[in-house]
Amino acid sequence: MKKMRKIMYYPGCTIKTYGQRYEKTAIAVAKALGFELIELPRWNCCGVVYGLSEDSVFHHIAPTRNLIRAQEFSRELGTNDLTTLCSMCYHVLKRVNDYLRSNPEALEKLNKFMDDEEDYEGGINVVHYLTILRDDIGFDKISEKVRRRLNGAKVACYYGCMLVKPRETGIDDPEDPLIMDELMESLGAEAIDYPFKTECCGAYHIVSDKEIVKKRAVKIIKAALDRGAEIIATTCPLCHYNLEKGMEMAGKELRRKVLLVYFTELLAFALGLDDSLEKNVLKELKRLIGGEK
Amino acid sequence: MRMSQAKTTVKQPKMKMVTIYVMGKKYEVPEGLTILKALEYVGYRLIRGVGCRAGFCGACATVYRFKDDYKLYTGLACQTTVKDGMYLVMIPFVPAKKPVYDIEKLKPDASTVISIFPELTRCVACNTCTKSCPQEIQVMDAVQEILRGNLEKAAHMVFDCIACGICSMRCPAEIVHYHVFQLVRRLYGKYIAKKSKHLEDKLKALEEGAFKEELDKLVTAGPSVWKRLYESREIEK
C-alpha cells in the first residue's frame, strides 16, 4: 500500500462539539485521498478572534501556544504543515503565525512570557484543508476518484469572512473566492453564483442579538435560493450554526427549502464514504442527488 | 547531682539556620522545617489557613519569592520546606464565586459548564494556573478539555485537585478552577462514569437490612465495649 502522507491537524473546540460531522467526514475524505490528519496530542483554544490592538500581545498567547505544540509535534511527524478545518481557527492561527514571522519583537515578548514552553521559531505552515485539496492533491485527481457524481446538484458555496479575509491570510480572492466552487464542479455539482457568498453570518451576535443573525442568514439563504440553490456548503462551524439558527428563526419561509452541509460532507458523499456521514444527512443527500454509486 | 546532670547533657550539634522573611520581617529558622512549622517556630499561632498538615486538605496555600528572582513561587505551607532568602506569606482564604446548581437537572456537556461558569471562555491559554499548581495538574489543559466538551478527560486530569485555590488567585481570566473542576467531577460521576454493579448491589442489600442486627448490637453495647473494640480494631499495617 502507498504510504499515507501525514499532516498535523488542529481541530478546535467547535469542531469537537457542534461540528463533529465536519471533522468525521474531513478525516474520512483525507484518508480516501491518501493523506492522514494527525491530531496534535496537546492543543488549546485557537484564541477565536485575532487581537487587533497593536500594543497588546496577550490575545496572541493561545494561538502561539498551539504553534509551539505543532512545532514540538513536527519533529515527531516530520512535517511542518499544520492544517485545520474551522475558518475561525484557520484565520487566527495563520494570521498570528504571519504576524510573529514579521514581528521578531512580539515573538520575543511572547516567548519570554511563555517561559514554561520552548521558544516558537516561526517554522510552522498553517494551511487550510481546502488548500491542501487544491494544491497538494489536485481537484482533477479528486474528480477521478468520484464514485457518485453529484448529478448537477445546485450548490451555493458559502465562504463567510474568515476563510478569505483579509487578503493576506485568506485562501482565495476576498470578494469573489472560487476555490470551493471549483471543487464542487469537480464532483459534478453545479456551483451557483450568488451575491452574498462572503457576506458575514453575524458571527458572535448569535449570543447577544439573535435578530442580527436572523436578518443576515435570511438574506444570504434567500439570495442562494433565488439562484436555484438546493444545497448550501460551508467551511465554518460558526457560519453553519448561524445559518441553521437563522433558518429556524425564519420559520416556515425557509423550512426545508435548502440543505445546509459542510463541503466535506458533499465530498464524502461523492467519494462514497457513506459511513462517515450522519444518517439524516446521507438520507437528504440521497433524496436530492440520487443514491447509486 | 549537679555534676551528673551536667555529664548527661548531650552536646547538641549546631542547627543550621536559614533566613526567611515573613510578611517582610526577617527571621532565622532551622533548615529543613516546612513553611508551616517555621511560622510556628517564629511564634505565629495558626488558626485559619492550616488543616491536615499532610498535603491533602489544601488549606495552607502560600506564595513566596527570592531576592533577585522575578518568579512568584507557590506551594502548600505544610509540604514546602523553607529555603534561605525566602520572602513568603500564607493565603489563608481564597474568595470565590460558588454557584448553586441542581446536579439532577444538568447535562454532562461543555455548554452546561460554561452556562454555570461563563468566565471559563475568558481563558487565553496563558498557563499561569498550571505553573502555580502545587499538585502538578495540567490546569489549563483541563480547562481546554472542558471547553471542547471532553468532560471525562478533564475529570481524570483534575482528580488530584485539593482546592487550595492558588490557580484561581493567579488566573487573569478570574476563573475559579476548583469549583469548575468539582462540577466536572460530579457530572462525570453522575452521568459518564460506568455504574458499578457491586455498589448498587451493596446499597440495595443495606436498604434491605443487611448488617442491621450487627449494627443494632453495636449501638446498644455501651461505652466500655466501644472502647475495647476501638482499642483492638484492625488498623492499616
Side-chain angles (χ1 to χ4, degrees), chain A residues 191-204:
Chain A
I192 63 132
D193 189 26
Y194 70 115
F196 298 131
K197 61 181 175 183
T198 61
E199 195 75 4
C200 173
C201 67
Y204 286 101

Side-chain angles (χ1 to χ4, degrees), chain A residues 121 147 201 216 251:
Chain A
E121 286 155 13
R147 293 177 60 192
C201 67
R216 294 191 155 266

Side-chain angles (χ1 to χ4, degrees), chain A residues 42-43 45 65 115-116, chain B residues 70-71 125 127 141 144 148:
Chain A
R42 267 177 96 186
W43 54 271
C45 164
R65 200 179 294 280
D115 58 1
D116 49 333
Chain B
Y70 74 91
K71 281 263 166 209
N127 217 27
D141 283 353
Q144 295 294 329
R148 70 184 79 144

Side-chain angles (χ1 to χ4, degrees), chain A residues 89-112:
Chain A
C89 297
Y90 167 74
H91 169 81
V92 177
L93 293 174
K94 166 86 170 139
R95 201 162 170 188
V96 167
N97 198 32
D98 291 351
Y99 172 75
L100 296 177
R101 283 172 171 182
S102 55
N103 286 275
E105 228 174 90
L107 177 60
E108 197 191 338
K109 197 174 192 174
L110 280 160
N111 277 334
K112 272 193 178 149

Side-chain angles (χ1 to χ4, degrees), chain B residues 181-216:
Chain B
F181 294 162
Q182 189 171 45
L183 169 61
V184 168
R185 287 193 303 266
R186 283 171 173 160
L187 288 170
Y188 171 71
K190 177 144 187 73
Y191 297 105
I192 303 169
K194 205 169 162 244
K195 293 277 169 285
S196 89
K197 177 87 169 48
H198 67 271
L199 178 64
E200 278 172 10
D201 291 348
K202 190 57 97 185
L203 286 171
K204 200 169 161 233
L206 282 171
E207 274 161 16
E208 283 165 0
F211 306 117
K212 191 175 181 306
E213 209 175 302
E214 288 93 324
L215 261 173
D216 287 346

Side-chain angles (χ1 to χ4, degrees), chain A residues 13 16-17 39 41-45 58-59 61-62 65 69 112-117, chain B residues 70-71 110 123-128 130-131 138 140-141 144-145 147-149 153 172:
Chain A
C13 308
K16 292 290 184 188
T17 48
E39 183 175 327
R42 267 177 96 186
W43 54 271
N44 50 260
C45 164
F58 205 63
H59 287 94
I61 294 171
R65 200 179 294 280
R69 296 277 176 262
K112 272 193 178 149
F113 179 80
M114 287 187 269
D115 58 1
D116 49 333
E117 307 283 2
Chain B
Y70 74 91
K71 281 263 166 209
C123 176
V124 293
C126 74
N127 217 27
T128 310
T130 305
K131 288 193 263 185
Q138 294 294 330
M140 187 273 286
D141 283 353
Q144 295 294 329
E145 291 292 346
L147 291 173
R148 70 184 79 144
K153 189 161 178 206

